[in-house]
Amino acid sequence: MRDPAPADTAIVVFEPAIARAARAYTGLSQKLLGEAAGVAKRTVFRLEKNGKVEKRSLDRILSAFERLGVVMLHGERGAVRGMEFRPRRAGGDSR
């Protein structure tokens, strides 16, 4: 029997339209968002295409969004139900 995947490498699903809208708000390209999050451009592309990425990668991207002023709003069951836009944190990239 195989050991289960560590929690940070588990594949999670995120709504692609929310990811695209959040990135559009930041004004960053997929490449620049990947750099800000510490993930590959391909990971950002996959998130925006089908919403399936490793949990660790999603956490990094969501942290980058928050630094850039995009905060995800969660419903009762933890699913993202929308976004809130806030002033960017100091040091946030405004490209």
Side-chain angles (χ1 to χ4, degrees):
M1 180 179 220
R2 282 180 40 180
D3 290 332
D8 62 346
T9 61
I11 300 297
V12 294
V13 179
F14 190 83
E15 180 59 45
I18 291 175
R20 289 190 299 270
R23 185 173 62 81
Y25 173 79
T26 69
L28 297 179
S29 65
Q30 289 177 340
K31 180 180 183 222
L32 289 176
L33 176 58
E35 289 174 4
V39 302
K41 174 189 173 197
R42 178 85 179 134
T43 301
V44 176
F45 173 82
R46 270 195 329 271
L47 179 65
E48 292 183 356
K49 182 177 183 199
N50 64 21
K52 296 179 184 177
V53 296
E54 290 183 354
K55 182 181 181 327
R56 159 182 45 205
S57 296
L58 180 61
D59 289 345
R60 289 177 178 175
I61 292 169
L62 293 178
S63 290
F65 279 146
E66 191 167 334
R67 287 191 307 275
L68 294 163
V70 181
V71 178
M72 300 298 156
L73 302 175
H74 300 272
E76 292 177 16
R77 296 187 177 156
V80 173
R81 62 175 177 79
M83 295 174 282
E84 184 173 281
F85 305 108
R86 298 182 180 166
R88 294 181 171 115
R89 290 184 188 174
D93 193 343
S94 60
R95 288 182 266 177

